[in-house]
Amino acid sequence: MEVVICRAEEEIGRLGADVVSRLVRTRPEAVLGVATGSSPRPVYAELVARVRAGELDLSGVSTFSLDEYVGLPEGHPASYRTEIRRELTDPAGIPPERVHSPQGSAGDLPAAARAYEKRIAAAGGVDVQLLGIGSDGHIAFNEPGSSLASRTRIKTLTRRTREDNARFFDGDADAVPTHCLTQGLATIMQARHVVLVATGEGKARAVAQLVEGAVSARWPGTVLQWHPHVSVLLDEAAAAGLGLAGYYREAWANKPDWQGL
Ligand code: F6R
């Protein structure tokens, strides 16, 4: 796991976008795993800026979202499909038919979960997975206690996650759906490269557990310690709980340019 402590959000955006740009240069039909929420937005903003500047062409890629709320009607402004189209795929010129999300409005949710796993596999798996992390340590919506071997399925959101996400529902935590369809931890572990972004002091405890804590379902993100290629992009506030911050800074400062993330 490589930890990069950045001075500004722009640096996070640039580093994350560099990973995608480098991938797409060699593989224009790359498969991107995409997170919603605030954390990846600097990366999406930078990708869209590069597309608009004519420096990057994302029209050949496919995207797979991590999760979707259960029960929101299609097109709801807070649905994750609507969000990813608004924040990334529409402005980046990725055709809607190659933008995939779990179908949270399906009548048969277990069947929708199985179908989603099949679609990811049929696309050849995820090349780069962008992730955020919840203040309670969830990745995608694998809340504390999630099986480290889990696949796409229905999960119940914690009260804390619903309160954290109330800002997307006019501040009303009770309006945040109680359930979601989410990729499992084992699904995420199959991505070939994971880029996790965390910013703000509210993430410091979860980040300290993720990077330096014991691997445990209590902090689901810790499963990534078993992944061979994870890049963790942090701001100073999110890095505040790390005991080895000095070492991570030194390793990054001395990393050869050609290596990339
Ligand atoms: C969203 C997702 C979640 C978020 C996490 C952090 O698709 O899977 O795990 O990444 O809740 O959310 P933000 O970035 O809004 O703090």
Side-chain angles (χ1 to χ4, degrees), residues 164-194:
D164 284 350
N165 287 4
R167 66 192 193 282
F168 300 115
F169 291 82
D170 297 327
D172 180 5
D174 290 324
V176 181
T178 51
H179 291 84
C180 64
L181 271 187
T182 179
Q183 286 189 30
L185 293 170
T187 319
I188 294 168
M189 287 291 281
Q190 283 184 318
R192 289 179 271 281
H193 182 187
V194 173

Side-chain angles (χ1 to χ4, degrees), residues 35-40 66-67 80 132-134 138-141 167-168 203:
T36 36
S38 309
S39 307
L66 286 167
D67 37 25
Y80 280 172
I133 187 166
H138 67 231
I139 54 172
F141 274 142
R167 66 192 193 282
F168 300 115
K203 300 295 174 69

Side-chain angles (χ1 to χ4, degrees), residues 106-183:
D108 185 343
L109 291 168
R114 285 192 298 274
Y116 199 58
E117 288 278 336
K118 281 194 184 141
R119 265 195 286 162
I120 297 172
V126 169
D127 291 305
V128 170
Q129 175 66 60
L130 287 155
L131 286 183
I133 187 166
S135 60
D136 66 2
H138 67 231
I139 54 172
F141 274 142
N142 294 283
E143 297 285 27
S146 289
S147 162
L148 303 186
S150 50
R151 312 296 313 197
T152 303
R153 70 209 181 293
I154 306 158
K155 281 297 285 184
T156 307
L157 298 174
T158 60
R159 184 73 201 171
R160 182 162 170 190
T161 295
R162 293 174 69 220
E163 281 166 4
D164 284 350
N165 287 4
R167 66 192 193 282
F168 300 115
F169 291 82
D170 297 327
D172 180 5
D174 290 324
V176 181
T178 51
H179 291 84
C180 64
L181 271 187
T182 179
Q183 286 189 30

Side-chain angles (χ1 to χ4, degrees), residues 33-88:
V34 288
T36 36
S38 309
S39 307
R41 288 199 182 169
V43 179
Y44 298 158
E46 177 65 19
L47 286 171
V48 169
R50 290 182 191 188
V51 168
R52 288 190 173 141
E55 298 163 10
L56 177 66
D57 179 4
L58 291 178
S59 62
V61 311
S62 304
T63 66
F64 283 86
S65 293
L66 286 167
D67 37 25
E68 182 58 280
Y69 292 115
V70 165
L72 292 186
E74 248 162 71
H76 188 287
S79 96
Y80 280 172
R81 185 173 176 83
T82 306
E83 182 180 327
I84 204 67
R85 287 196 57 181
R86 184 180 62 232
E87 297 296 326
L88 177 66

